[in-house]
Amino acid sequence: MSILKMTNIQKSFGENHVLKDISLHVDKGEVVSIIGPSGSGKSTLLRCATFLETIDSGTITYDDKNAAEMKNGKCVYAKKLNDFRHIFGLVFQNFNLFPHYTVLKNMMDAPVSVMKRDKNEVREECLALLRKMGLEDKADSYPGLLSGGQQQRVSIVRALAMNPEILFFDEPTSALDPELTGEVLKVIKQLAEEKMTMVIVTHEMAFARAVSDRVIFMDGGVIVEQGAPEEVFGNTQSERMKQFLQNYNKV
């Protein structure tokens, strides 16, 4: 079953046509990595999927319900978008933690204030997530006292605290040095092994190859190629993909 379907998505910023008729689906339990050069539209696609940007045309469907659809030639969003927002979690490249909240309060805030869940129940769940991520001793710390890798792991468990059906990652390691990158990728790999549905925009090619069920290569606002990691990385038919991998390997 597809949790997410995006069909014929178009998005422009002024004269800049960033997404050109993109269609994709993400099935339950699937890990999809989106790769491609800077400016190819990867992050914009993620921002459209999570309603941080509005699409110009196309359809966005979660669990077979339309969050955005075409009516009379215009793109119309569902009146109750909040009904869709609890379906996904989003992990940003720059953590986006509240600096004046402790780690535990960062995690508990949305489940308690947005979802109106029982505070004690949420607290126990959040502490269990922190234990699982090896961050239990950081519950009462403030984000500024944590390393970048620890902050990103906290932002992942904060997203998990909402019990999402699908997690989106927008270049989750781009703000981290190589040593800290490894600890964050290890957490994402663990989630993949637990069959968490994920969409990961990443520039970590070896990681995308190892952890993904499907890899999507974007360039110039279109999907150039997609398929199993071994097909895309090991047997690509696309000259543009070959050129991208050659340039990437030179870095």
Side-chain angles (χ1 to χ4, degrees):
M1 183 186 108
S2 291
I3 292 178
L4 169 67
K5 288 180 188 168
M6 300 180 78
T7 310
N8 305 126
I9 302 298
Q10 306 259 6
K11 176 64 182 175
S12 296
F13 296 100
E15 297 296 308
N16 186 12
H17 197 177
V18 180
L19 299 177
K20 305 168 185 174
D21 199 31
I22 295 258
S23 295
L24 63 87
H25 68 277
V26 182
D27 293 337
K28 187 174 177 60
E30 189 177 30
V31 179
V32 177
S33 288
I34 303 176
I35 62 170
S38 296
S40 58
K42 307 183 299 294
S43 291
T44 300
L45 181 64
L46 221 62
R47 291 176 67 82
C48 288
T50 54
F51 316 140
L52 294 173
E53 299 285 358
T54 53
I55 58 174
D56 299 329
S57 65
T59 306
I60 301 174
T61 304
Y62 280 99
D63 291 341
D64 290 329
K65 296 185 183 74
N66 285 340
E69 60 186 314
M70 298 303 292
K71 287 183 180 175
N72 301 320
K74 288 185 178 179
C75 183
V76 179
Y77 278 79
K79 287 179 181 171
K80 294 185 177 178
L81 265 189
N82 279 343
D83 290 350
F84 293 91
R85 286 194 172 98
H86 74 271
I87 295 171
F88 57 79
L90 179 58
V91 178
F92 300 89
Q93 54 186 287
N94 54 353
F95 323 137
N96 279 28
L97 299 171
F98 295 115
H100 55 294
Y101 285 179
T102 64
V103 164
L104 188 58
K105 185 162 172 50
N106 261 288
M107 293 175 66
M108 290 179 61
D109 190 53
V112 172
S113 60
V114 177
M115 298 176 79
K116 309 298 182 193
R117 292 186 54 209
D118 177 74
K119 194 173 182 178
N120 291 326
E121 187 181 291
V122 170
R123 180 186 173 84
E124 289 309 309
E125 283 181 18
C126 289
L127 287 172
L129 280 170
L130 286 172
R131 271 195 296 278
K132 179 179 170 183
M133 299 294 180
L135 292 165
E136 190 181 8
D137 60 333
K138 304 298 182 188
D140 296 322
S141 298
Y142 289 89
L145 299 174
L146 306 180
S147 71
Q150 288 170 333
Q151 288 187 62
Q152 190 60 296
R153 281 189 285 156
V154 169
S155 68
I156 293 171
V157 291
R158 179 180 62 176
L160 289 171
M162 296 290 284
N163 293 319
E165 292 180 44
I166 181 171
L167 263 185
F168 293 98
F169 294 85
D170 187 8
E171 303 216 5
T173 60
S174 65
L176 304 175
D177 65 38
E179 192 173 355
L180 298 177
T181 291
E183 66 183 65
V184 172
L185 295 182
K186 187 178 173 186
V187 168
I188 299 173
K189 194 169 185 183
Q190 183 183 341
L191 292 172
E193 287 165 359
E194 294 169 4
K195 294 298 177 190
M196 181 75 206
T197 310
M198 293 185 282
V199 178
I200 308 164
V201 169
T202 183
H203 57 274
E204 301 285 343
M205 297 300 136
F207 174 73
R209 187 170 189 162
V211 81
S212 307
D213 297 301
R214 188 154 45 96
V215 174
I216 292 173
F217 172 62
M218 284 182 66
D219 186 41
V222 299
I223 292 175
V224 176
E225 187 168 3
Q226 63 177 310
E230 289 313 310
E231 289 172 29
V232 173
F233 286 108
N235 191 32
T236 180
Q237 302 305 303
S238 160
E239 286 304 318
R240 182 65 188 95
M241 179 70 182
K242 288 176 186 172
Q243 182 189 355
F244 172 73
L245 289 175
Q246 279 173 354
N247 291 339
Y248 187 85
N249 290 333
K250 285 177 191 170
V251 175

